[in-house]
């Protein structure tokens, strides 16, 4: 009976502690929502400086020509695994073409795809080509020599890398979309950046409290709700582990200490 009570208490504590973690992981992230006005970009930049900003969970389109470099940028936060997809609609008549989707972090370091086909060849007269790249989970901190993905601005570059001379300059249309999965405390590290990596030459300026103008590198920022804080569900599971360890100790003590009285009284006592 005592062991049953101990196990029941352990299961109850596990359910109460796991509740907030499940609710937190199922709640949508601000970075994964579409724009409030429902509008989506219909053009792309031609360089890192002019990259068109898009939100996660939002599809963007652009028209161009084979041989053009198309650039977009998006924010990625700690503990999230971004997935980038691109679809290129090709002209009705064309030869074999190879398209490539590259992803760069805030320091303009090319990020390797964990999986997905970021380079594909479209056969002659194919109507479209589909590309995808699943990045590694964004970390909160990394060694200076490492190329781990860090929070901040990420850039997409879509272009054709191999085609016949007769196909150069043909009109194409592209659609890109960025989504991400919240990995949570499994990817947490003991460290964080002072600020997200939002590099580049200033593209606009804003007026400070003292009236002076300061350069702004991007409109992405913590006020947009995408930059996370210190909390992660790793704290919840650490607490669950502590509770289970304590209950296991209590249960073991209850099983081994006995009734506290000798089972048999010696004769003559």
């Amino acid at each position: 009976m005592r062991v049953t009570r101990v196990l029941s208490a352990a299961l109850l504590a596990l359910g109460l502690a796991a509740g907030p973690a499940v609710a937190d992981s199922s709640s949508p992230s601000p970075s994964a929502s579409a724009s409030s006005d429902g509008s989506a970009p219909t053009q792309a930049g031609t360089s890192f400086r002019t990259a068109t900003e898009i939100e996660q969970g939002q599809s963007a389109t652009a028209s161009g020509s084979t041989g053009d470099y198309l650039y977009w940028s998006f924010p990625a936060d700690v503990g999230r695994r971004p997935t980038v997809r691109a679809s290129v609609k090709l002209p009705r008549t064309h030869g074999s073409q190879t398209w490539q989707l590259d992803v760069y972090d805030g320091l303009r370091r090319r990020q390797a795809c964990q999986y997905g086909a970021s380079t594909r060849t479209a056969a002659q007269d194919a109507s479209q080509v589909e590309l995808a790249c699943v990045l590694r989970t964004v970390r909160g901190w990394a060694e200076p020599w490492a190329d781990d993905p860090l929070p901040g601005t990420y850039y997409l570059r879509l272009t054709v890398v191999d085609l016949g001379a007769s196909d150069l300059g043909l009109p194409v249309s592209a659609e890109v979309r960025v989504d991400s999965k919240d990995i949570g405390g499994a990817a947490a590290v003991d460290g964080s950046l002072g600020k997200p990596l939002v590099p580049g030459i200033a593209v606009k300026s804003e007026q400070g409290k003292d009236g002076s103008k300061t350069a702004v590198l991007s409109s992405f920022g913590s006020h947009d709700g995408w930059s996370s804080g210190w909390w992660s569900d790793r704290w919840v599971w650490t607490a669950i582990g502590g509770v289970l360890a304590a209950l296991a100790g209590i249960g073991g003590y209850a099983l081994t200490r006995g009734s506290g009285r000798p089972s048999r009284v010696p004769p003559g006592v």
Side-chain angles (χ1 to χ4, degrees):
M1 181 66 67
R2 184 176 302 158
V3 176
T4 303
R5 289 198 300 267
V6 171
L7 293 177
S8 300
L11 293 176
L12 179 61
L14 179 62
L16 293 176
V22 174
D24 181 73
S25 60
S26 61
S27 60
S29 169
S31 61
S33 61
S35 58
S36 58
D37 58 0
S39 61
T42 57
Q43 61 181 0
T46 57
S47 67
F48 287 102
R49 287 185 57 188
T50 60
T52 299
E53 297 177 357
I54 61 175
E55 298 177 4
Q56 292 188 22
Q58 181 183 50
S59 297
T61 58
S63 298
S65 304
T66 53
D68 291 344
Y69 286 89
L70 305 178
Y71 286 84
W72 293 268
S73 63
F74 69 95
D77 201 2
V78 177
R80 306 196 69 86
R81 181 183 296 163
T83 298
V84 182
R85 294 182 176 88
S87 176
V88 183
K89 293 184 179 180
L90 304 174
R92 180 172 301 179
T93 304
H94 64 83
S96 176
Q97 299 181 4
T98 301
W99 286 79
Q100 183 167 301
L101 177 66
D102 297 313
V103 183
Y104 297 85
D105 68 0
L107 298 179
R108 299 186 186 179
R109 302 174 302 180
R110 187 176 183 273
Q111 292 294 313
C113 300
Q114 194 173 29
Y115 51 89
S118 61
T119 303
R120 274 187 171 176
T121 299
Q124 185 177 1
D125 297 335
S127 61
Q128 65 180 13
V129 58
E130 303 283 344
L131 305 170
C133 177
V134 180
L135 298 176
R136 294 170 296 168
T137 304
V138 179
R139 294 166 53 89
W141 177 86
E143 294 288 348
W145 46 263
D147 62 349
D148 296 324
L150 297 171
T153 300
Y154 282 72
Y155 297 94
L156 311 180
R157 185 177 70 182
L158 179 64
T159 189
V160 61
V161 294
D162 186 24
L163 78 166
S166 60
D167 290 340
L168 189 63
L170 292 179
V172 295
S173 61
E175 180 179 358
V176 297
R177 181 182 177 89
V178 180
D179 296 288
S180 67
K181 179 181 179 181
D182 187 3
I183 305 302
V189 295
D190 294 328
S192 62
L193 293 179
K195 292 183 179 180
L197 299 176
V198 186
I201 300 176
V203 295
K204 65 177 184 178
S205 62
E206 67 178 11
Q207 191 169 2
K209 295 181 179 180
D210 57 354
S212 61
K213 290 187 176 181
T214 57
V216 178
L217 303 181
S218 172
S219 63
F220 297 143
S222 58
H223 61 277
D224 296 321
W226 64 270
S227 185
S228 64
W230 59 272
W231 172 258
S232 73
D233 58 5
R234 186 173 64 165
W235 291 95
V236 176
W237 295 111
T238 301
I240 292 175
V243 171
L244 291 179
L247 292 175
I250 295 173
Y253 175 75
L255 291 172
T256 58
R257 76 184 183 93
S259 61
R261 295 178 299 177
S263 58
R264 182 178 178 183
V265 180
V269 177

